[in-house]
Amino acid sequence: KNSISSDIINTILEDKQGNVWAGTEDGGLNMFDPKKNQFIAYTPNKSDSNSLGDVFVRDIFEDSEQNLWIATNSGGLNLFNKKSNTFTRFQHSNNNSRSISSNNLYTLFEDSKHRIWIGTIGGGLDMFNKETREFYHFKHNPNNPNSLANDFVHAINEDKNDLWIGTENGGLSILDPSTNEFTNYAADR
């Protein structure tokens, strides 16, 4: 069967090798190989912990080392191994404060220092340290005006100094990485 696994496409990425990846809402992850003119589908398998974590893929990102990262709706962060065609899942664990804050992810970003940032749905902003394989959490605290404006993070980008975070119903948060404090901008109502 030479077709894509779903008609609902959430994200598309062309990797450095020229393959086109499509994340779907209900069919997992698809890779189109232009040399062979065919699709390969990657879907979850409950009996295989090295399979994709969820059928709902929200974002695909290739980092500066050509690692492929997949943000899923409820299966956490997935790192694809192109050599073995397997996934490493990074999922929330109540027993580990350095695990990802939520399995419900929205967006991914790599900053100029090669740190991976993860925008979650209700879990705030996470930063992944590739060396230690630990997650650091930034969350909204209603008692701290210099915290993240809202724990639903939809967009992440960077200027020469700061990280810009787009939130749901919280406006814009700008993270100063030297202080780990946010400046927040909300709409006047």
Side-chain angles (χ1 to χ4, degrees):
K1 178 176 149 181
N2 189 25
S3 67
I4 198 158
S5 64
S6 172
D7 288 331
I8 306 171
I9 310 301
N10 293 323
T11 182
I12 300 169
L13 170 86
E14 181 180 12
D15 69 19
K16 301 285 190 295
Q17 287 80 38
N19 298 310
V20 179
W21 297 84
T24 73
E25 192 146 316
D26 57 4
L29 179 67
N30 291 258
M31 187 213 40
F32 179 73
D33 182 339
K35 295 177 190 108
K36 296 179 182 173
N37 196 34
Q38 73 179 29
F39 286 96
I40 299 169
Y42 298 93
T43 56
N45 178 345
K46 288 188 193 313
S47 62
D48 182 2
S49 63
N50 292 314
S51 67
L52 184 65
D54 188 14
V55 293
F56 193 147
V57 174
R58 284 203 185 266
D59 199 11
I60 308 164
F61 177 74
E62 186 177 32
D63 70 17
S64 57
E65 298 169 353
Q66 297 185 18
N67 295 308
L68 200 66
W69 299 88
I70 296 92
T72 68
N73 189 58
S74 64
L77 180 64
N78 292 239
L79 174 59
F80 183 65
N81 183 320
K82 294 176 184 176
K83 292 182 180 132
S84 65
N85 280 336
T86 59
F87 295 85
T88 300
R89 296 180 191 172
F90 297 93
Q91 295 180 319
H92 176 72
S93 168
N94 289 331
N95 301 326
N96 181 356
S97 65
R98 289 289 169 226
S99 71
I100 197 164
S101 65
S102 171
N103 288 329
N104 303 353
L105 310 183
Y106 200 89
T107 189
L108 302 170
F109 180 77
E110 181 180 29
D111 70 16
S112 57
K113 293 184 175 143
H114 307 294
R115 297 174 295 194
I116 304 295
W117 294 87
I118 303 106
T120 73
I121 303 168
L125 175 70
D126 276 9
M127 189 272 293
F128 181 65
N129 183 314
K130 289 191 253 183
E131 281 75 45
T132 64
R133 295 176 87 82
E134 293 179 324
F135 292 86
Y136 295 86
H137 315 297
F138 299 86
K139 294 190 178 202
H140 174 67
N141 176 347
N143 299 317
N144 180 357
N146 296 114
S147 71
L148 183 65
N150 188 289
D151 286 334
F152 290 74
V153 175
H154 288 211
I156 308 168
N157 214 318
E158 178 183 42
D159 65 16
K160 64 182 183 224
N161 298 313
D162 300 323
L163 209 63
W164 293 64
I165 313 300
T167 71
E168 180 177 309
N169 297 319
L172 183 64
S173 288
I174 301 173
L175 174 63
D176 179 341
S178 66
T179 64
N180 281 342
E181 290 192 344
F182 292 86
T183 302
N184 297 309
Y185 299 92
D188 293 332
R189 301 227 187 268

Short mmCIF file of all heavy atoms in Angstrom, two decimals, residues 114-177:
data_model
loop_
_atom_site.label_atom_id
_atom_site.label_comp_id
_atom_site.label_asym_id
_atom_site.label_seq_id
_atom_site.Cartn_x
_atom_site.Cartn_y
_atom_site.Cartn_z
N HIS A 114 21.75 24.67 21.43
CA HIS A 114 21.38 23.28 21.10
C HIS A 114 20.58 22.59 22.18
O HIS A 114 20.60 21.37 22.30
CB HIS A 114 22.62 22.46 20.69
CG HIS A 114 23.41 23.12 19.62
ND1 HIS A 114 22.93 23.30 18.35
CD2 HIS A 114 24.63 23.70 19.65
CE1 HIS A 114 23.83 23.96 17.63
NE2 HIS A 114 24.87 24.22 18.39
N ARG A 115 19.86 23.36 22.98
CA ARG A 115 18.94 22.79 23.96
C ARG A 115 17.59 22.60 23.28
O ARG A 115 17.17 23.44 22.48
CB ARG A 115 18.80 23.70 25.17
CG ARG A 115 20.11 23.87 25.94
CD ARG A 115 19.99 24.88 27.04
NE ARG A 115 19.74 26.21 26.47
CZ ARG A 115 19.84 27.34 27.15
NH1 ARG A 115 20.16 27.32 28.42
NH2 ARG A 115 19.59 28.50 26.56
N ILE A 116 16.91 21.51 23.62
CA ILE A 116 15.59 21.23 23.07
C ILE A 116 14.53 21.76 24.04
O ILE A 116 14.55 21.43 25.23
CB ILE A 116 15.39 19.71 22.84
CG1 ILE A 116 16.50 19.13 21.94
CG2 ILE A 116 14.00 19.43 22.28
CD1 ILE A 116 16.51 19.65 20.54
N TRP A 117 13.64 22.58 23.51
CA TRP A 117 12.54 23.15 24.30
C TRP A 117 11.24 22.51 23.86
O TRP A 117 11.01 22.32 22.67
CB TRP A 117 12.49 24.66 24.13
CG TRP A 117 13.69 25.35 24.68
CD1 TRP A 117 14.87 25.59 24.03
CD2 TRP A 117 13.84 25.87 26.01
NE1 TRP A 117 15.75 26.24 24.88
CE2 TRP A 117 15.14 26.42 26.10
CE3 TRP A 117 13.01 25.93 27.11
CZ2 TRP A 117 15.63 27.02 27.25
CZ3 TRP A 117 13.48 26.53 28.28
CH2 TRP A 117 14.77 27.07 28.33
N ILE A 118 10.39 22.20 24.82
CA ILE A 118 9.14 21.51 24.55
C ILE A 118 7.99 22.32 25.12
O ILE A 118 7.96 22.62 26.32
CB ILE A 118 9.14 20.10 25.18
CG1 ILE A 118 10.32 19.27 24.65
CG2 ILE A 118 7.83 19.38 24.90
CD1 ILE A 118 11.43 19.11 25.64
N GLY A 119 7.04 22.67 24.26
CA GLY A 119 5.82 23.32 24.71
C GLY A 119 4.76 22.26 24.95
O GLY A 119 4.48 21.45 24.06
N THR A 120 4.20 22.25 26.15
CA THR A 120 3.22 21.23 26.51
C THR A 120 1.81 21.80 26.58
O THR A 120 1.61 23.02 26.61
CB THR A 120 3.56 20.57 27.87
OG1 THR A 120 3.26 21.49 28.92
CG2 THR A 120 5.02 20.16 27.95
N ILE A 121 0.86 20.89 26.65
CA ILE A 121 -0.54 21.25 26.80
C ILE A 121 -0.89 21.07 28.27
O ILE A 121 -1.23 19.98 28.72
CB ILE A 121 -1.43 20.36 25.91
CG1 ILE A 121 -0.99 20.47 24.45
CG2 ILE A 121 -2.90 20.71 26.08
CD1 ILE A 121 -1.58 19.43 23.54
N GLY A 122 -0.69 22.14 29.05
CA GLY A 122 -1.03 22.12 30.47
C GLY A 122 0.11 21.83 31.41
O GLY A 122 -0.04 21.94 32.62
N GLY A 123 1.28 21.47 30.87
CA GLY A 123 2.43 21.15 31.72
C GLY A 123 3.52 22.21 31.69
O GLY A 123 4.59 22.02 32.25
N GLY A 124 3.26 23.33 31.00
CA GLY A 124 4.25 24.40 30.93
C GLY A 124 5.28 24.19 29.84
O GLY A 124 5.02 23.52 28.83
N LEU A 125 6.45 24.75 30.07
CA LEU A 125 7.58 24.70 29.14
C LEU A 125 8.65 23.81 29.75
O LEU A 125 8.99 23.95 30.92
CB LEU A 125 8.12 26.13 28.95
CG LEU A 125 9.38 26.29 28.11
CD1 LEU A 125 9.08 26.02 26.64
CD2 LEU A 125 9.94 27.71 28.28
N ASP A 126 9.18 22.90 28.96
CA ASP A 126 10.28 22.04 29.41
C ASP A 126 11.51 22.30 28.56
O ASP A 126 11.41 22.60 27.37
CB ASP A 126 9.92 20.56 29.28
CG ASP A 126 9.12 20.03 30.45
OD1 ASP A 126 8.70 20.84 31.30
OD2 ASP A 126 8.93 18.80 30.52
N MET A 127 12.68 22.18 29.20
CA MET A 127 13.96 22.23 28.49
C MET A 127 14.63 20.87 28.71
O MET A 127 14.73 20.41 29.84
CB MET A 127 14.84 23.35 29.03
CG MET A 127 16.10 23.60 28.19
SD MET A 127 17.52 22.63 28.65
CE MET A 127 17.89 23.28 30.24
N PHE A 128 15.05 20.23 27.60
CA PHE A 128 15.69 18.93 27.66
C PHE A 128 17.19 19.09 27.52
O PHE A 128 17.67 19.68 26.56
CB PHE A 128 15.15 18.01 26.55
CG PHE A 128 15.74 16.64 26.56
CD1 PHE A 128 15.52 15.77 27.61
CD2 PHE A 128 16.51 16.19 25.49
CE1 PHE A 128 16.06 14.49 27.61
CE2 PHE A 128 17.04 14.92 25.48
CZ PHE A 128 16.82 14.06 26.55
N ASN A 129 17.92 18.55 28.49
CA ASN A 129 19.38 18.54 28.43
C ASN A 129 19.80 17.21 27.80
O ASN A 129 19.59 16.15 28.39
CB ASN A 129 19.95 18.68 29.84
CG ASN A 129 21.46 18.74 29.85
OD1 ASN A 129 22.13 17.96 29.19
ND2 ASN A 129 22.00 19.67 30.62
N LYS A 130 20.35 17.27 26.58
CA LYS A 130 20.70 16.04 25.85
C LYS A 130 21.80 15.25 26.54
O LYS A 130 21.84 14.03 26.43
CB LYS A 130 21.12 16.37 24.41
CG LYS A 130 19.96 16.82 23.55
CD LYS A 130 20.36 16.87 22.08
CE LYS A 130 20.51 18.28 21.61
NZ LYS A 130 20.82 18.40 20.19
N GLU A 131 22.72 15.93 27.24
CA GLU A 131 23.83 15.22 27.90
C GLU A 131 23.34 14.41 29.10
O GLU A 131 23.68 13.24 29.26
CB GLU A 131 24.93 16.19 28.34
CG GLU A 131 25.86 16.63 27.22
CD GLU A 131 25.20 17.64 26.27
OE1 GLU A 131 24.55 18.60 26.76
OE2 GLU A 131 25.32 17.46 25.05
N THR A 132 22.54 15.04 29.96
CA THR A 132 22.08 14.36 31.18
C THR A 132 20.76 13.61 30.95
O THR A 132 20.36 12.81 31.79
CB THR A 132 21.86 15.38 32.32
OG1 THR A 132 20.80 16.28 31.95
CG2 THR A 132 23.13 16.15 32.63
N ARG A 133 20.10 13.90 29.81
CA ARG A 133 18.79 13.32 29.48
C ARG A 133 17.75 13.65 30.56
O ARG A 133 16.91 12.83 30.89
CB ARG A 133 18.91 11.83 29.20
CG ARG A 133 19.75 11.57 27.96
CD ARG A 133 19.99 10.12 27.68
NE ARG A 133 18.97 9.45 26.89
CZ ARG A 133 18.87 9.50 25.57
NH1 ARG A 133 19.70 10.22 24.87
NH2 ARG A 133 17.94 8.83 24.95
N GLU A 134 17.85 14.87 31.07
CA GLU A 134 16.92 15.34 32.09
C GLU A 134 16.12 16.53 31.56
O GLU A 134 16.61 17.29 30.72
CB GLU A 134 17.66 15.77 33.36
CG GLU A 134 18.33 14.63 34.09
CD GLU A 134 19.06 15.10 35.33
OE1 GLU A 134 19.65 16.20 35.32
OE2 GLU A 134 19.06 14.35 36.31
N PHE A 135 14.92 16.68 32.10
CA PHE A 135 14.04 17.78 31.74
C PHE A 135 13.99 18.80 32.87
O PHE A 135 13.94 18.42 34.04
CB PHE A 135 12.63 17.27 31.46
CG PHE A 135 12.53 16.41 30.23
CD1 PHE A 135 12.81 15.06 30.31
CD2 PHE A 135 12.18 16.96 29.01
CE1 PHE A 135 12.73 14.26 29.17
CE2 PHE A 135 12.11 16.17 27.88
CZ PHE A 135 12.38 14.81 27.96
N TYR A 136 14.01 20.07 32.51
CA TYR A 136 13.88 21.17 33.46
C TYR A 136 12.57 21.88 33.14
O TYR A 136 12.26 22.13 31.98
CB TYR A 136 15.09 22.10 33.37
CG TYR A 136 16.34 21.35 33.79
CD1 TYR A 136 17.06 20.60 32.86
CD2 TYR A 136 16.75 21.34 35.11
CE1 TYR A 136 18.17 19.87 33.25
CE2 TYR A 136 17.87 20.62 35.51
CZ TYR A 136 18.56 19.88 34.57
OH TYR A 136 19.66 19.14 34.96
N HIS A 137 11.81 22.20 34.18
CA HIS A 137 10.44 22.66 34.01
C HIS A 137 10.28 24.15 34.34
O HIS A 137 10.85 24.64 35.30
CB HIS A 137 9.51 21.86 34.93
CG HIS A 137 9.77 20.39 34.90
ND1 HIS A 137 9.61 19.62 33.76
CD2 HIS A 137 10.20 19.53 35.86
CE1 HIS A 137 9.93 18.36 34.03
NE2 HIS A 137 10.29 18.29 35.29
N PHE A 138 9.48 24.80 33.51
CA PHE A 138 9.09 26.19 33.73
C PHE A 138 7.57 26.21 33.69
O PHE A 138 6.97 25.90 32.66
CB PHE A 138 9.66 27.09 32.64
CG PHE A 138 11.16 27.08 32.58
CD1 PHE A 138 11.84 26.12 31.84
CD2 PHE A 138 11.90 28.03 33.27
CE1 PHE A 138 13.23 26.10 31.78
CE2 PHE A 138 13.29 28.02 33.22
CZ PHE A 138 13.95 27.05 32.49
N LYS A 139 6.96 26.60 34.83
CA LYS A 139 5.50 26.55 34.93
C LYS A 139 4.96 27.89 35.43
O LYS A 139 5.67 28.67 36.04
CB LYS A 139 5.07 25.44 35.89
CG LYS A 139 5.41 24.06 35.36
CD LYS A 139 4.77 22.98 36.18
CE LYS A 139 5.09 21.63 35.57
NZ LYS A 139 4.17 20.62 35.95
N HIS A 140 3.67 28.08 35.16
CA HIS A 140 2.98 29.26 35.66
C HIS A 140 2.80 29.14 37.17
O HIS A 140 2.40 28.09 37.69
CB HIS A 140 1.62 29.40 34.99
CG HIS A 140 0.80 30.51 35.55
ND1 HIS A 140 1.15 31.83 35.41
CD2 HIS A 140 -0.34 30.50 36.29
CE1 HIS A 140 0.25 32.59 36.01
NE2 HIS A 140 -0.66 31.81 36.56
N ASN A 141 3.12 30.21 37.87
CA ASN A 141 2.88 30.30 39.31
C ASN A 141 2.09 31.59 39.53
O ASN A 141 2.64 32.68 39.33
CB ASN A 141 4.20 30.32 40.07
CG ASN A 141 4.03 30.50 41.56
OD1 ASN A 141 2.96 30.84 42.06
ND2 ASN A 141 5.12 30.30 42.29
N PRO A 142 0.82 31.49 39.93
CA PRO A 142 0.01 32.71 40.08
C PRO A 142 0.56 33.69 41.11
O PRO A 142 0.22 34.87 41.08
CB PRO A 142 -1.37 32.18 40.50
CG PRO A 142 -1.16 30.77 40.92
CD PRO A 142 0.10 30.27 40.28
N ASN A 143 1.44 33.22 42.01
CA ASN A 143 2.04 34.10 43.01
C ASN A 143 3.35 34.73 42.56
O ASN A 143 3.97 35.47 43.31
CB ASN A 143 2.27 33.32 44.31
CG ASN A 143 0.97 32.81 44.89
OD1 ASN A 143 -0.02 33.52 44.92
ND2 ASN A 143 0.98 31.56 45.33
N ASN A 144 3.79 34.40 41.32
CA ASN A 144 5.05 34.94 40.82
C ASN A 144 4.82 35.57 39.44
O ASN A 144 4.66 34.86 38.45
CB ASN A 144 6.09 33.82 40.72
CG ASN A 144 7.43 34.32 40.21
OD1 ASN A 144 7.59 35.48 39.86
ND2 ASN A 144 8.39 33.42 40.14
N PRO A 145 4.84 36.91 39.37
CA PRO A 145 4.61 37.58 38.07
C PRO A 145 5.74 37.33 37.07
O PRO A 145 5.57 37.60 35.89
CB PRO A 145 4.51 39.06 38.45
CG PRO A 145 5.22 39.18 39.76
CD PRO A 145 5.05 37.87 40.46
N ASN A 146 6.89 36.80 37.53
CA ASN A 146 8.01 36.51 36.63
C ASN A 146 8.06 35.03 36.24
O ASN A 146 9.09 34.55 35.78
CB ASN A 146 9.33 36.92 37.27
CG ASN A 146 9.40 38.41 37.50
OD1 ASN A 146 9.43 38.89 38.63
ND2 ASN A 146 9.38 39.17 36.41
N SER A 147 6.93 34.34 36.41
CA SER A 147 6.83 32.94 35.95
C SER A 147 6.17 32.92 34.58
O SER A 147 5.66 33.94 34.10
CB SER A 147 6.05 32.09 36.95
OG SER A 147 4.67 32.41 36.92
N LEU A 148 6.17 31.76 33.94
CA LEU A 148 5.50 31.56 32.66
C LEU A 148 4.05 32.01 32.76
O LEU A 148 3.38 31.74 33.77
CB LEU A 148 5.58 30.07 32.30
CG LEU A 148 5.02 29.62 30.95
CD1 LEU A 148 5.81 30.22 29.80
CD2 LEU A 148 5.05 28.09 30.87
N ALA A 149 3.55 32.70 31.73
CA ALA A 149 2.20 33.29 31.79
C ALA A 149 1.09 32.25 31.82
O ALA A 149 0.04 32.49 32.42
CB ALA A 149 1.99 34.23 30.60
N ASN A 150 1.29 31.10 31.19
CA ASN A 150 0.26 30.07 31.13
C ASN A 150 0.95 28.74 30.81
O ASN A 150 1.96 28.72 30.10
CB ASN A 150 -0.78 30.41 30.05
CG ASN A 150 -1.97 29.49 30.04
OD1 ASN A 150 -1.86 28.33 29.66
ND2 ASN A 150 -3.11 30.00 30.45
N ASP A 151 0.42 27.63 31.31
CA ASP A 151 1.04 26.31 31.13
C ASP A 151 0.67 25.63 29.81
O ASP A 151 1.09 24.50 29.58
CB ASP A 151 0.69 25.39 32.31
CG ASP A 151 1.47 25.77 33.56
OD1 ASP A 151 2.56 26.36 33.42
OD2 ASP A 151 0.98 25.49 34.67
N PHE A 152 -0.09 26.31 28.96
CA PHE A 152 -0.38 25.79 27.62
C PHE A 152 0.51 26.56 26.65
O PHE A 152 0.26 27.73 26.37
CB PHE A 152 -1.86 25.99 27.27
CG PHE A 152 -2.79 25.09 28.05
CD1 PHE A 152 -3.06 25.36 29.39
CD2 PHE A 152 -3.38 24.00 27.45
CE1 PHE A 152 -3.91 24.53 30.12
CE2 PHE A 152 -4.23 23.17 28.17
CZ PHE A 152 -4.49 23.44 29.51
N VAL A 153 1.57 25.90 26.14
CA VAL A 153 2.58 26.57 25.31
C VAL A 153 2.40 26.14 23.86
O VAL A 153 2.52 24.96 23.53
CB VAL A 153 4.00 26.24 25.81
CG1 VAL A 153 5.05 26.83 24.87
CG2 VAL A 153 4.19 26.78 27.23
N HIS A 154 2.12 27.12 22.98
CA HIS A 154 1.85 26.84 21.58
C HIS A 154 3.00 27.19 20.64
O HIS A 154 3.05 26.67 19.53
CB HIS A 154 0.62 27.63 21.12
CG HIS A 154 -0.66 27.11 21.67
ND1 HIS A 154 -1.84 27.21 20.99
CD2 HIS A 154 -0.96 26.49 22.83
CE1 HIS A 154 -2.81 26.68 21.71
NE2 HIS A 154 -2.30 26.25 22.84
N ALA A 155 3.89 28.08 21.04
CA ALA A 155 4.94 28.55 20.12
C ALA A 155 6.20 28.90 20.90
O ALA A 155 6.11 29.41 22.03
CB ALA A 155 4.45 29.77 19.34
N ILE A 156 7.36 28.61 20.29
CA ILE A 156 8.65 28.92 20.91
C ILE A 156 9.57 29.44 19.82
O ILE A 156 9.64 28.85 18.73
CB ILE A 156 9.30 27.66 21.55
CG1 ILE A 156 8.32 26.96 22.50
CG2 ILE A 156 10.60 28.02 22.26
CD1 ILE A 156 8.77 25.58 22.94
N ASN A 157 10.28 30.54 20.11
CA ASN A 157 11.29 31.04 19.20
C ASN A 157 12.34 31.79 20.02
O ASN A 157 12.19 31.93 21.23
CB ASN A 157 10.70 31.92 18.10
CG ASN A 157 11.44 31.78 16.79
OD1 ASN A 157 12.66 31.73 16.77
ND2 ASN A 157 10.71 31.71 15.69
N GLU A 158 13.37 32.28 19.35
CA GLU A 158 14.50 32.88 20.04
C GLU A 158 14.99 34.10 19.28
O GLU A 158 15.03 34.09 18.05
CB GLU A 158 15.61 31.82 20.12
CG GLU A 158 16.89 32.25 20.76
CD GLU A 158 17.95 31.15 20.73
OE1 GLU A 158 18.10 30.48 19.68
OE2 GLU A 158 18.64 30.98 21.74
N ASP A 159 15.36 35.14 20.03
CA ASP A 159 16.12 36.23 19.43
C ASP A 159 17.56 36.08 19.90
O ASP A 159 17.93 35.02 20.42
CB ASP A 159 15.50 37.59 19.74
CG ASP A 159 15.54 37.97 21.21
OD1 ASP A 159 16.28 37.34 21.99
OD2 ASP A 159 14.81 38.90 21.60
N LYS A 160 18.38 37.11 19.78
CA LYS A 160 19.80 36.94 20.13
C LYS A 160 20.04 36.72 21.62
O LYS A 160 21.08 36.22 22.01
CB LYS A 160 20.62 38.12 19.61
CG LYS A 160 20.25 39.44 20.24
CD LYS A 160 21.05 40.57 19.65
CE LYS A 160 20.70 41.83 20.39
NZ LYS A 160 20.48 42.99 19.62
N ASN A 161 19.07 37.07 22.48
CA ASN A 161 19.26 36.94 23.92
C ASN A 161 18.23 36.05 24.61
O ASN A 161 18.56 35.35 25.56
CB ASN A 161 19.21 38.32 24.60
CG ASN A 161 20.30 39.24 24.13
OD1 ASN A 161 21.45 38.83 24.05
ND2 ASN A 161 19.94 40.46 23.79
N ASP A 162 16.99 36.13 24.18
CA ASP A 162 15.88 35.57 24.95
C ASP A 162 15.08 34.54 24.17
O ASP A 162 15.12 34.50 22.94
CB ASP A 162 14.93 36.70 25.38
CG ASP A 162 15.63 37.74 26.25
OD1 ASP A 162 16.47 37.36 27.06
OD2 ASP A 162 15.31 38.94 26.09
N LEU A 163 14.30 33.77 24.91
CA LEU A 163 13.38 32.81 24.34
C LEU A 163 11.97 33.40 24.40
O LEU A 163 11.54 33.89 25.45
CB LEU A 163 13.44 31.52 25.16
CG LEU A 163 13.13 30.21 24.45
CD1 LEU A 163 14.15 29.94 23.36
CD2 LEU A 163 13.14 29.07 25.45
N TRP A 164 11.25 33.37 23.28
CA TRP A 164 9.91 33.92 23.19
C TRP A 164 8.92 32.76 23.20
O TRP A 164 9.04 31.83 22.41
CB TRP A 164 9.76 34.72 21.90
CG TRP A 164 10.59 35.97 21.89
CD1 TRP A 164 11.96 36.06 21.91
CD2 TRP A 164 10.11 37.30 21.86
NE1 TRP A 164 12.34 37.37 21.89
CE2 TRP A 164 11.23 38.15 21.85
CE3 TRP A 164 8.83 37.86 21.82
CZ2 TRP A 164 11.11 39.53 21.82
CZ3 TRP A 164 8.71 39.24 21.78
CH2 TRP A 164 9.86 40.07 21.79
N ILE A 165 7.93 32.84 24.10
CA ILE A 165 6.99 31.75 24.32
C ILE A 165 5.57 32.27 24.08
O ILE A 165 5.12 33.20 24.76
CB ILE A 165 7.09 31.22 25.77
CG1 ILE A 165 8.54 30.99 26.20
CG2 ILE A 165 6.23 29.97 25.94
CD1 ILE A 165 9.33 30.02 25.39
N GLY A 166 4.86 31.63 23.15
CA GLY A 166 3.47 31.97 22.92
C GLY A 166 2.58 31.01 23.69
O GLY A 166 2.72 29.80 23.57
N THR A 167 1.69 31.56 24.53
CA THR A 167 0.85 30.72 25.38
C THR A 167 -0.63 30.86 25.00
O THR A 167 -1.02 31.80 24.31
CB THR A 167 1.02 31.08 26.87
OG1 THR A 167 0.42 32.34 27.12
CG2 THR A 167 2.47 31.09 27.28
N GLU A 168 -1.41 29.93 25.49
CA GLU A 168 -2.86 29.99 25.30
C GLU A 168 -3.48 30.76 26.46
O GLU A 168 -3.33 30.38 27.61
CB GLU A 168 -3.42 28.55 25.27
CG GLU A 168 -4.91 28.48 25.08
CD GLU A 168 -5.40 27.05 25.00
OE1 GLU A 168 -4.84 26.27 24.21
OE2 GLU A 168 -6.34 26.72 25.74
N ASN A 169 -4.13 31.87 26.14
CA ASN A 169 -4.82 32.71 27.13
C ASN A 169 -3.89 33.36 28.15
O ASN A 169 -4.37 33.86 29.16
CB ASN A 169 -5.94 31.94 27.84
CG ASN A 169 -7.03 31.50 26.89
OD1 ASN A 169 -7.42 32.26 26.01
ND2 ASN A 169 -7.49 30.28 27.04
N GLY A 170 -2.59 33.36 27.89
CA GLY A 170 -1.67 34.03 28.79
C GLY A 170 -0.83 35.07 28.07
O GLY A 170 -0.04 35.77 28.68
N GLY A 171 -0.97 35.10 26.74
CA GLY A 171 -0.19 36.05 25.96
C GLY A 171 1.21 35.56 25.68
O GLY A 171 1.45 34.36 25.51
N LEU A 172 2.13 36.49 25.68
CA LEU A 172 3.53 36.23 25.32
C LEU A 172 4.40 36.27 26.56
O LEU A 172 4.29 37.18 27.38
CB LEU A 172 3.98 37.33 24.34
CG LEU A 172 5.37 37.25 23.76
CD1 LEU A 172 5.53 36.00 22.90
CD2 LEU A 172 5.65 38.49 22.93
N SER A 173 5.25 35.26 26.70
CA SER A 173 6.23 35.23 27.78
C SER A 173 7.62 35.27 27.16
O SER A 173 7.89 34.53 26.21
CB SER A 173 6.10 33.95 28.61
OG SER A 173 4.95 33.95 29.40
N ILE A 174 8.48 36.12 27.70
CA ILE A 174 9.86 36.18 27.21
C ILE A 174 10.77 35.74 28.35
O ILE A 174 10.79 36.34 29.42
CB ILE A 174 10.21 37.60 26.73
CG1 ILE A 174 9.25 38.01 25.61
CG2 ILE A 174 11.66 37.66 26.27
CD1 ILE A 174 9.38 39.43 25.16
N LEU A 175 11.52 34.65 28.10
CA LEU A 175 12.40 34.07 29.10
C LEU A 175 13.81 34.63 28.95
O LEU A 175 14.41 34.54 27.88
CB LEU A 175 12.44 32.54 28.97
CG LEU A 175 13.44 31.80 29.86
CD1 LEU A 175 13.11 31.98 31.34
CD2 LEU A 175 13.47 30.32 29.50
N ASP A 176 14.32 35.19 30.03
CA ASP A 176 15.72 35.61 30.11
C ASP A 176 16.50 34.42 30.64
O ASP A 176 16.38 34.08 31.82
CB ASP A 176 15.86 36.81 31.04
CG ASP A 176 17.30 37.28 31.18
OD1 ASP A 176 18.24 36.52 30.86
OD2 ASP A 176 17.49 38.42 31.63
N PRO A 177 17.30 33.73 29.80
CA PRO A 177 17.99 32.52 30.25
C PRO A 177 19.06 32.77 31.31
O PRO A 177 19.43 31.86 32.03
CB PRO A 177 18.60 31.94 28.98
CG PRO A 177 18.50 32.98 27.94
CD PRO A 177 17.53 34.03 28.40
#
